[in-house]
């Protein structure tokens, strides 16, 4: 692989005009596609194989025209102090509001509070239910404005009015902190390279890659039903890996220049060595993201595939556009550790040029003394001297951070998790005050009596059975379909939607349905947003272990090929588990317990989103393997080239620690930039990924990994002979390129080799 990528890097360096033109054309094409694409429609949230989804599909078949997936709104009214909603003036205001709402072109129905028994027992609170023909994301702005205007007019009449439901659902915004994250990345790159030109290359290529990826997602959003969250997550991950992959190749290019190589040859070798690590690191991320399909939740699958596509684009750009831009930059990108002096001289005469540069470097060191060991070298030297102490400290620290994860509560956000400043949250609180907490999460029971001899008796039996269950406040009379073979029953729990008590009630109704089916032949199904959330959480929990085995197993095999070792990939996987558990602990502490919630902009604590653990497992594993590959391949390279195991660890840190540190800080800054999002899911994922990168890069890869390798010594690189013969030689270390030098091939011969 190293030889192929070496040729690719040199080709891109020489044919830079052609390479740049291709990527600019792709960016333009994607941009035009995004600009001309129709607006994204509804994002179908389906969970195949669950009872809630089966009931939802049955409703669409048996109750046609009722817009089961249409947007809903609850306009909640509260009378002034000392008054009732049944007072003549207040009643007239509400009825006027209902009439105005019913005139909307996208409104399917509006339920009057007074005819629909939607007035609280004490008479102070009432609500009007509005159902629309289309989903919340498809509602026209004029319809949303009409809803808001109607509420405002009722407020002007003296009532307290709030609007809940998904009709006012807004497209999530990331806020200015995303730009701050990119700015921090730019500062880190300038400090790392000491050059604006060198620092600008990773940023430029990452932005082009993300531009192509996100524009493509936008262009296909309507056709593939991709939600706005999909493009935000693709941008988040694409920016982070795009900058990091380019950073590693530019850094290796400067190191090759410092060895006295010609610029074209240095670009080829940078792509051949660091580029090989980029390919395998990118593959682990892609495997982890595409592997989300195993959960069988279409929305999650689409998010994973879209983000994986953006990562693949980032890899291709790093391998081709970076060497092309290095060709444009010329002498403006200087060798590592040089300011244009001895080490910046180009290699002009093949091996003699390299020898001359090395001699000049040695002469410079003789005059000024040996170069001072960098921080990475000093840290690695300390770790190999005290490996057991460092290992124990790292493991205990991550274990302590993971403790809150034992209290993890999973759920999906509803209006109760919104900030108290929003009208949706205030409507939620008013409904809880007037009708009880369970009123915000009613359960929809669907009775399919098509196989029953007496459908009406079956409907009555189901209703009576549910009334006798604990935790039920109210049960509406069965509402049969036109054909009379199906009925819906609304059940109001006495607990809030996200509570364990409501989850137990759902299971109790389903258990009772089994006995009813045996007696009457009618099937009882529970659906609605609350039941759907419960089923999603259970499905994600059930899929977590198989997903973990699949992703870690595939990546483990991939890393065996890369490192030609059994223990190194095993250590990488165990280190990842420590990172992800510690990160989940931090997420629980902030978003569930409320620690530092004000600093993170978390206005309302509550359960951690159901998809958070499995999403973090996928993404964090992919990113964790990035640093594992980049750092340990340098150690492997030194070991293959004859260094002792302890010295190879130090050498790996000497060349890789500074760059890995910069890459981790950049990735943390990019992820942290999304904490400012208005979308709770994006905010939580941004924080979770940022803290996970911190734990993995600075505790696991920078401390635990060198400590374990120092303790293992030569055993770390052990591989059974039969397996060594069976595995393909991917040559991530660039040994094939080194062998070519030893055979005496100079740059001219190499160039001829590339042409052939």
């Amino acid at each position: 692989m190293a030889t192929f990528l070496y040729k690719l890097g040199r080709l891109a360096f020489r044919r830079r005009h052609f390479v740049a033109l291709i990527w600019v054309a792709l960016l333009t094409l994607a941009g035009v596609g995004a600009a001309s694409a129709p607006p994204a429609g509804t994002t179908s949230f389906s969970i195949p194989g669950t009872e809630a989804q089966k009931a939802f599909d049955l409703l669409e078949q048996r109750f046609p025209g009722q817009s089961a997936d249409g947007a809903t709104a609850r306009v909640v009214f509260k009378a002034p102090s000392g008054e009732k909603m049944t007072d003549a003036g207040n009643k007239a205001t509400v009825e006027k509001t209902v009439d105005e709402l019913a005139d909307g072109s996208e409104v399917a129905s509006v339920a009057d509070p007074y005819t629909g028994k939607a007035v609280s027992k004490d008479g102070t609170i009432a609500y009007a239910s509005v159902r629309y023909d289309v989903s919340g994301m498809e509602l026209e702005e004029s319809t949303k404005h009409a809803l808001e205007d109607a509420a405002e007019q009722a407020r002007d009449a003296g009532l307290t009015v709030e609007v809940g439901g998904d009709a006012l659902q807004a497209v999530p915004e990331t806020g200015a902190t995303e730009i701050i994250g990119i700015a921090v990345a730019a500062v880190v790159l300038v400090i790392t390279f000491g050059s604006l030109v060198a620092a600008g290359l990773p940023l430029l290529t990452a932005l082009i890659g993300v531009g192509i990826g996100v524009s493509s997602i936008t262009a296909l959003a309507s056709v593939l039903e991709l939600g706005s969250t999909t493009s935000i997550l693709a941008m988040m991950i694409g920016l982070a890996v795009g900058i990091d992959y380019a950073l590693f190749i530019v850094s290796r290019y400067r190191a090759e220049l410092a060895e006295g190589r010609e610029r074209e040859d240095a670009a080829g070798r940078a792509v051949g060595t660091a580029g090989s690590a980029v390919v395998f690191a990118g593959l682990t991320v892609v495997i982890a993201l595409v592997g989300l399909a195993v959960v069988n939740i279409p929305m999650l699958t689409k998010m994973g595939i879209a983000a994986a596509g953006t990562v693949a684009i980032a890899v291709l750009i790093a391998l081709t556009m970076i060497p092309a831009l290095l060709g444009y930059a010329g002498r403006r990108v200087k060798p590592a550790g040089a300011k244009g002096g001895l080490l910046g001289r180009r290699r002009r005469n093949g091996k003699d040029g390299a020898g001359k540069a090395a001699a000049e470097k040695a002469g410079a060191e003789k005059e000024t003394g040996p170069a001072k060991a960098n921080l990475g070298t000093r840290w690695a030297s300390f770790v190999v001297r005290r490996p057991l102490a460092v290992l124990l400290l790292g493991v205990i620290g991550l274990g302590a951070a993971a403790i809150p994860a034992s209290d993890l509560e999973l759920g999906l956000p509803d209006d109760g998790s919104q900030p108290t400043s929003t009208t949706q949250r205030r409507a939620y609180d008013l409904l809880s005050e007037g009708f009880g907490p369970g009123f915000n999460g009613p359960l929809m029971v669907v009775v399919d009596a098509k196989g029953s001899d007496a459908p009406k008796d079956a409907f009555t039996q189901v209703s009576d059975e549910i009334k006798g269950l604990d935790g039920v406040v109210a049960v509406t009379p069965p509402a049969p379909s036109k054909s009379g073979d199906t009925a819906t029953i609304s059940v109001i729990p006495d607990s809030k939607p996200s509570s364990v008590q409501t989850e137990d009630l759902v299971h109790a109704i389903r258990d009772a349905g089994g006995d009813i089916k045996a007696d009457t032949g009618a099937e009882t199904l529970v659906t609605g947003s609350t039941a759907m959330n419960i089923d999603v959480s259970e499905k994600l929990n059930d899929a977590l272990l198989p997903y973990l085995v699949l992703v870690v197993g595939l990546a483990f095999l991939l890393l065996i090929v890369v490192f030609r070792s059994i223990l190194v990939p095993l250590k990488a996987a165990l280190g990842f588990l420590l990172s992800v558990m510690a990160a989940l602990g931090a997420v629980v502490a902030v978003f569930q317990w409320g620690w530092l919630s004000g600093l993170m902009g978390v206005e309302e604590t509550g359960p951690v989103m159901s998809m958070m653990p499995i999403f973090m497992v996928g993404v964090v594993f992919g990113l964790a393997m990035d640093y594992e590959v980049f750092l340990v391949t340098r150690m492997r390279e030194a070991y293959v080239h004859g260094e002792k195991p302890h010295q190879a660890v130090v050498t790996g840190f000497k060349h890789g620690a500074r760059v890995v540190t910069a890459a981790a800080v950049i990735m943390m800054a990019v992820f942290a930039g999304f904490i400012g999002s208005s979308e709770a899911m994006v905010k939580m994922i941004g924080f979770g990924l940022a803290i996970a990168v911190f734990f993995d890069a600075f505790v696991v890869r920078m401390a635990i990994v060198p400590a374990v390798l120092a303790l293992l010594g030569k055993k770390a690189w052990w591989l059974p002979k039969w397996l060594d013969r069976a595995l393909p030689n991917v040559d991530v270390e660039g040994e094939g390129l080194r062998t070519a030098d030893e055979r005496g091939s100079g740059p001219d011969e190499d160039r001829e080799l590339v042409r052939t």
Side-chain angles (χ1 to χ4, degrees):
M1 174 176 284
T3 303
F4 169 76
L5 292 178
Y6 168 78
K7 295 177 181 180
L8 178 64
R10 293 189 67 164
L11 182 65
F13 187 95
R14 288 199 312 275
R15 300 286 185 262
R16 46 189 171 272
H17 303 309
F18 181 68
V19 171
L21 183 62
I22 288 178
W23 284 112
V24 171
L26 288 175
L27 178 61
T28 304
L29 185 64
V32 170
S36 58
T42 179
T43 304
S44 59
F45 185 76
S46 61
I47 41 175
T50 62
E51 182 174 310
Q53 185 64 47
K54 182 179 178 182
F56 186 83
D57 295 340
L58 187 66
L59 281 174
E60 290 192 323
Q61 293 173 13
R62 306 285 173 84
F63 294 84
Q66 289 197 7
S67 303
D69 60 346
T72 59
R74 276 178 170 175
V75 183
V76 188
F77 307 89
K78 183 176 182 179
S81 179
E83 298 182 18
K84 302 281 188 182
M85 288 305 304
T86 51
D87 294 346
N90 295 334
K91 187 174 181 180
T93 300
V94 172
E95 289 176 342
K96 180 181 178 183
T97 303
V98 169
D99 291 340
E100 290 177 356
L101 290 172
D103 291 337
S105 60
E106 294 180 306
V107 175
S109 64
V110 181
D112 187 301
Y114 302 101
T115 58
K117 298 180 180 179
V119 181
S120 63
K121 289 182 179 180
D122 62 4
T124 60
I125 297 174
Y127 70 90
S129 295
V130 187
R131 181 171 292 278
Y132 295 89
D133 293 322
V134 296
S135 69
M137 296 301 291
E138 292 177 304
L139 279 179
E140 295 180 1
E141 287 300 316
S142 59
T143 301
K144 294 182 180 181
H145 290 321
L147 178 60
E148 293 170 337
D149 291 344
E152 190 59 39
Q153 289 177 21
R155 289 190 191 104
D156 293 341
L159 298 178
T160 299
V161 186
E162 304 296 345
V163 182
D166 60 355
L168 295 182
Q169 181 179 358
V171 176
E173 299 174 356
T174 54
T177 51
E178 176 193 345
I179 306 300
I180 296 174
I182 296 175
V184 171
V187 171
V188 173
L189 286 169
V190 171
I191 294 173
T192 302
F193 291 136
S195 164
L196 288 174
V197 174
L201 298 184
L203 277 177
L204 177 61
T205 54
L207 290 173
I208 291 174
V210 167
I212 294 172
V214 173
S215 296
S216 300
I217 291 170
T218 304
L220 298 172
S222 179
V223 177
L224 302 180
E225 296 184 345
L226 302 177
S228 55
T229 306
T230 303
S231 59
I232 291 176
L233 294 176
M235 181 190 303
M236 180 192 302
I237 296 171
L239 268 178
V241 300
I243 294 173
D244 277 10
Y245 294 165
L247 166 65
F248 281 105
I249 292 179
V250 173
S251 178
R252 187 59 184 253
Y253 171 76
R254 296 175 71 237
E256 295 293 339
L257 289 181
E259 295 296 323
R261 302 192 189 281
E262 180 191 9
R263 291 187 179 276
E264 182 180 323
D265 188 39
R269 289 174 182 274
V271 175
T273 51
S276 296
V278 165
V279 169
F280 282 100
L283 272 176
T284 59
V285 180
V286 169
I287 287 173
L289 291 170
V290 173
L292 289 170
V294 79
V295 184
N296 196 25
I297 294 180
M299 185 187 76
L300 198 59
T301 300
K302 292 172 185 177
M303 286 166 54
I305 292 175
T310 308
V311 171
I313 292 170
V315 171
L316 292 173
I317 282 188
L319 297 178
T320 56
M321 195 167 185
I322 281 292
L325 293 179
L326 289 172
Y328 283 118
R331 293 174 178 267
R332 287 185 290 275
V333 177
K334 302 184 184 302
K339 294 181 172 58
L342 292 174
L343 300 182
R345 296 183 182 177
R346 289 190 304 164
R347 173 179 168 187
R348 293 185 176 87
N349 298 309
K351 289 173 61 182
D352 294 338
K356 184 176 180 181
E360 289 173 336
K361 182 178 178 181
E365 287 185 355
K366 186 175 180 180
E367 292 178 9
T368 61
K372 184 180 179 181
N374 62 22
L375 183 59
T377 302
R378 296 198 299 273
W379 169 249
S381 300
F382 168 78
V383 173
V384 297
R385 288 197 307 270
R386 301 283 189 274
L388 189 58
V390 172
L391 176 62
L392 290 175
L393 187 62
V395 171
I396 291 171
L398 290 178
I403 289 174
S406 62
D407 190 40
L408 178 66
E409 294 179 11
L410 297 177
L412 288 176
D414 55 19
D415 284 349
S417 61
Q418 295 266 18
T420 53
S421 59
T422 62
T423 187
Q424 291 94 330
R425 172 58 188 275
R426 291 196 292 265
Y428 179 98
D429 292 340
L430 283 176
L431 287 171
S432 296
E433 177 188 338
F435 303 91
F439 197 80
N440 283 292
L443 305 176
M444 177 68 73
V445 177
V446 182
V447 185
D448 180 6
K450 202 166 189 178
S452 175
D453 295 331
K456 290 184 178 179
D457 292 341
F459 301 154
T460 302
Q461 183 175 343
V462 171
S463 179
D464 293 341
E465 190 76 25
I466 294 173
K467 288 177 182 177
L469 295 175
D470 294 334
V472 175
V473 172
V475 178
T476 63
S481 62
K482 289 182 179 179
S483 60
D485 59 4
T486 309
T488 59
I489 301 171
S490 183
V491 181
I492 307 298
D494 65 0
S495 51
K496 64 181 184 178
S498 58
S499 66
V500 176
Q501 291 85 351
T502 301
E503 183 177 345
D504 292 340
L505 177 60
V506 169
H507 290 304
I509 295 173
R510 288 172 174 173
D511 292 340
D515 297 332
I516 293 171
K517 185 174 183 179
D519 295 340
T520 65
E523 186 175 11
T524 303
L525 305 169
V526 185
T527 189
S529 59
T530 301
M532 191 81 79
N533 290 351
I534 291 170
D535 286 353
V536 168
S537 297
E538 291 180 353
K539 190 177 181 79
L540 288 165
N541 285 339
D542 293 342
L544 183 57
L545 185 58
Y547 173 71
L548 192 62
V549 171
L550 173 69
V551 171
V552 175
L554 288 175
F556 180 76
L557 295 176
L558 188 65
L559 293 178
I560 288 178
V561 174
V562 174
F563 295 127
R564 309 195 76 78
S565 163
I566 298 292
L567 295 179
V568 170
L570 180 62
K571 172 262 311 166
L574 294 176
F576 148 74
L577 291 176
L578 281 173
S579 299
V580 79
M581 289 305 298
L584 274 176
V587 169
V588 169
V590 173
F591 291 88
Q592 188 175 309
W593 290 0
W595 294 4
L596 301 177
S597 57
L599 182 63
M600 298 297 166
V602 180
E603 295 187 39
E604 194 66 33
T605 59
V608 173
M609 277 177 299
S610 302
M611 63 181 65
M612 191 67 187
I614 201 163
F615 191 84
M616 280 190 66
V617 164
V619 178
V620 174
F621 183 78
L623 300 179
M625 294 306 103
D626 278 3
Y627 299 115
E628 180 74 15
V629 170
F630 289 132
L631 196 58
V632 180
T633 47
R634 272 293 201 170
M635 300 177 190
R636 168 77 182 172
E637 186 177 341
Y639 179 75
V640 166
H641 293 165
E643 292 188 8
K644 293 182 179 180
H646 282 205
Q647 184 56 42
V649 171
V650 176
T651 300
F653 268 77
K654 175 184 177 182
H655 294 295
R658 178 182 175 88
V659 181
V660 168
T661 299
V665 172
I666 288 169
M667 196 171 279
M668 287 168 57
V670 172
F671 288 147
F674 288 83
I675 295 175
S677 173
S678 61
E679 176 70 28
M681 177 180 173
V682 175
K683 180 190 290 287
M684 191 178 291
I685 289 177
F687 171 80
L689 294 184
I691 198 70
V693 168
F694 171 78
F695 286 142
D696 195 84
F698 294 107
V699 181
V700 174
R701 309 304 154 189
M702 291 287 191
I704 294 178
V705 165
V708 171
L709 290 177
L711 289 171
L712 290 176
K714 289 185 178 180
K715 295 177 183 177
W717 308 108
W718 171 79
L719 187 69
K721 291 183 179 179
W722 64 269
L723 185 56
D724 187 41
R725 290 192 297 269
L727 291 177
N729 182 15
V730 295
D731 190 21
V732 176
E733 303 85 11
E735 184 64 18
L737 304 180
R738 180 184 174 93
T739 304
D741 267 357
E742 291 172 351
R743 287 198 305 264
S745 102
D748 294 334
E749 294 167 273
D750 288 344
R751 189 176 290 108
E752 191 60 33
L753 180 64
V754 172
R755 291 195 181 110
T756 58

